[in-house]
């Protein structure tokens, strides 16, 4: 299965998850990162989408296993951590400290509608879950033009009509990105190979980087897909496509560098564990900051990082990436070891 993976896509996902963690760690260029990092993930999902002869139920089961199951698992873990250590919760947030509140929080998690401050980035998972299911349903039943029309209308309705408090408005934006990602894949497959040479890739890199930099001067606001704060639909679309192109071109260049490409591809294959756990890791780093800087313990409730100094984004990013990957590596090795033990016992019997 791994032999069939597109290493450029894995590198793109690796770069994007690093940018996400760095953005949450308050890297100085976080406004630049927020222009495209999460939209690009949805564009990649659209790029990778393939219609199959399997029914809708099969598709939903696959998404339940790949998205819903880890969402529930890690949100329950984060909820348990907050119950055990309520000091981690922000001061203006309700702490689930009664049986009723805890039960309500658990029900919301199982209903795909609840998340904690420690798992806040998991909004991406439930939006991707519903957006991909809707996109799969629509694309199998309508023509390409009809699919485009339905998705554009849904985007307009969710952006201009649906209240933000319902927390479903960004599903329309995600649907648009999935559709655009799929169109990009079709366009890419029809491009003459002579335009995929190094000079053209470098030119695209410079052009897309210039567009992204120029967009920063249009407004002081941040593009926040989590709240569907897109500044303007045209701004959102241009930023998303430019960011996808920028990261895609850089990833294409990196494929020529063996060690770096394999390292980033490895990261790209383990994005979910990083997404779910890096805020937990941030709290561990925060405890170390509180100890060494002699800060008040209440600083631990700050989000996303506890204390910002000149270099904090560097060690927060390293820890936020490194510890989840280490956890995943050890977990995979342990699972492989147990599997081999079972096989050896079966053979001996």
């Amino acid at each position: 299965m791994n032999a069939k993976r597109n290493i450029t896509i894995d590198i793109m996902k690796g770069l994007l998850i690093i940018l996400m963690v760095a953005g949450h760690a308050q890297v100085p260029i976080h406004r630049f990162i927020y222009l495209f990092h999460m939209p690009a993930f949805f564009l990649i999902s659209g790029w990778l989408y393939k219609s199959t002869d399997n029914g809708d139920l099969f598709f939903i089961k696959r998404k339940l296993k790949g998205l819903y199951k880890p969402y529930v698992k890690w949100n329950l873990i984060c909820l348990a951590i907050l119950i055990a250590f309520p000091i981690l919760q922000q001061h203006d947030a309700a702490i689930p400290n009664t049986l009723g509140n805890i039960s309500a929080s658990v029900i919301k998690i199982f209903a795909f509608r609840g998340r904690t401050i420690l798992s806040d980035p998991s909004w991406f998972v439930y939006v991707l879950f519903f957006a991909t299911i809707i996109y799969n349903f629509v694309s199998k039943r309508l023509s390409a033009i009809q699919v485009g029309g339905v998705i554009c209308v849904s985007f307009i309705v969710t952006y201009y009509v649906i209240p933000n408090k319902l927390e479903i408005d960004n599903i329309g934006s995600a649907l648009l990105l999935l559709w655009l990602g799929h169109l990009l894949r079709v366009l890419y497959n029809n491009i003459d190979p002579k335009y995929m040479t190094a000079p053209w890739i470098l030119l695209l890199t410079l052009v897309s980087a210039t567009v992204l930099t120029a967009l920063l001067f249009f407004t002081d606001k941040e593009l926040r897909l989590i709240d569907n704060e897109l500044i303007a639909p045209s701004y959102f679309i241009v930023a998303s496509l430019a960011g996808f192109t920028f990261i895609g071109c850089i990833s294409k260049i990196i494929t020529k560098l063996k060690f770096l490409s394999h390292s980033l591809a490895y990261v790209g294959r383990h994005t979910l564990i990083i997404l779910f756990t890096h805020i937990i890791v941030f709290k561990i780093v925060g405890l170390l900051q509180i100890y060494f800087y002699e800060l008040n313990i209440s600083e631990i409730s700050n989000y996303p990082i506890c204390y910002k100094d000149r270099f904090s984004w560097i060690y927060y990013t390293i820890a936020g990436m490194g510890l989840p990957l280490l956890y995943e590596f050890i977990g995979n090795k342990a699972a492989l070891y147990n599997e081999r033990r079972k096989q050896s016992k079966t053979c001996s019997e």
Side-chain angles (χ1 to χ4, degrees):
M1 184 176 178
N2 288 341
K4 297 180 181 179
R5 294 188 70 100
N6 185 327
I7 191 170
T8 303
I9 292 295
D10 282 337
I11 293 170
M12 288 179 70
K13 290 166 66 179
L15 289 172
L16 288 168
I17 201 69
I18 292 170
L19 290 176
M20 183 203 73
V21 175
H24 289 166
Q26 300 298 290
V27 64
I29 60 167
H30 67 274
R31 279 191 64 235
F32 177 82
I33 292 171
Y34 284 3
L35 282 173
F36 64 86
H37 74 305
M38 298 315 291
F41 271 118
F42 287 108
L43 285 166
I44 288 174
S45 295
W47 179 286
L48 294 175
Y49 173 79
K50 289 182 180 179
S51 180
T52 65
D53 294 331
N54 297 313
D56 295 329
L57 188 59
F58 175 85
F59 188 85
I60 293 172
K61 284 181 177 178
R62 198 173 67 180
K63 294 303 173 184
L64 285 170
K65 181 180 179 181
L67 296 174
Y68 176 76
K69 190 175 178 180
Y71 177 93
V72 170
K73 170 187 172 181
W74 284 107
N75 272 279
L76 288 176
I77 290 173
C78 290
L79 178 62
I81 293 172
L82 284 178
I83 292 169
F85 306 100
I87 195 172
L88 297 176
Q89 185 69 282
Q90 287 183 308
H91 302 304
D92 58 349
I95 299 173
N97 54 5
T98 66
L99 183 59
N101 289 340
I102 294 171
S103 299
S105 298
V106 170
I107 291 171
K108 284 183 179 179
I109 290 171
F110 275 100
F112 233 152
R113 300 301 300 158
R115 62 186 191 273
T116 71
I117 193 66
L118 297 179
S119 57
D120 197 45
S122 65
W123 68 268
F124 169 81
V125 176
Y126 78 74
V127 171
L128 181 63
F129 177 85
F130 289 111
T132 50
I133 288 175
I134 295 170
Y135 185 77
N136 180 69
F137 182 86
V138 171
S139 63
K140 282 188 173 183
R141 289 162 174 81
L142 301 176
S143 67
I145 295 177
Q146 289 173 328
V147 169
V150 168
I151 286 177
C152 288
V153 169
S154 69
F155 170 69
I156 292 169
V157 170
T158 53
Y159 183 71
Y160 289 106
V161 180
I162 303 295
N164 182 267
K165 63 182 180 181
L166 293 180
E167 296 187 356
I168 60 170
D169 48 345
N170 50 11
I171 293 177
S173 301
L175 272 171
L176 179 69
L177 293 170
L178 290 174
W179 177 61
L180 289 174
H182 184 70
L183 291 182
L184 286 172
R185 175 68 179 270
V186 174
L187 176 64
Y188 178 83
N189 289 339
N190 287 281
I191 292 177
D192 192 317
K194 70 180 181 181
Y195 295 113
M196 288 294 103
T197 55
W200 284 102
I201 293 173
L202 285 172
L203 178 62
L204 271 177
T205 306
L206 291 173
V207 170
S208 56
T210 302
V211 170
L212 289 169
T213 304
L215 288 173
L216 291 175
F217 293 95
F218 277 90
T219 178
D220 293 330
K221 296 179 180 179
E222 288 183 353
L223 195 158
R224 290 177 54 82
L225 188 53
I226 181 175
D227 300 314
N228 214 40
E229 295 176 359
L230 311 181
I231 300 175
S234 56
Y235 187 98
F236 165 66
I237 293 169
V238 171
S240 301
L241 294 176
F244 178 86
T245 304
F246 176 65
I247 293 296
C249 289
I250 290 176
S251 299
K252 200 71 176 176
I253 295 169
I254 290 174
T255 57
K256 307 298 182 183
L257 308 172
K258 188 174 181 180
F259 176 77
L260 183 59
S261 64
H262 286 297
S263 299
L264 285 171
Y266 177 83
V267 174
R269 293 192 296 270
H270 298 87
T271 53
L272 270 186
I273 186 66
I274 297 168
L275 181 141
F276 281 122
T277 62
H278 71 280
I279 299 296
I280 300 174
V281 174
F282 280 9
K283 296 304 178 183
I284 297 173
V285 176
L287 286 173
L288 294 174
Q289 280 187 311
I290 288 169
Y291 175 77
F292 286 109
Y293 292 170
E294 298 182 350
L295 303 173
N296 191 300
I297 190 63
S298 63
E299 298 287 336
I300 197 65
S301 66
N302 292 341
Y303 181 87
I305 63 175
C306 299
Y307 179 75
K308 183 178 179 180
D309 60 33
R310 187 176 178 183
F311 301 107
S312 59
W313 70 269
I314 299 175
Y315 51 81
Y316 267 101
T317 302
I318 292 172
M321 293 295 304
L323 289 183
L325 288 174
L326 179 62
Y327 170 86
E328 188 81 345
F329 177 79
I330 293 173
N332 289 339
K333 288 295 183 182
L336 183 62
Y337 174 76
N338 289 332
E339 184 64 28
R340 286 175 177 173
R341 283 190 62 186
K342 288 180 182 178
Q343 290 177 356
S344 63
K345 283 183 179 180
T346 304
C347 292
S348 64
E349 291 175 356

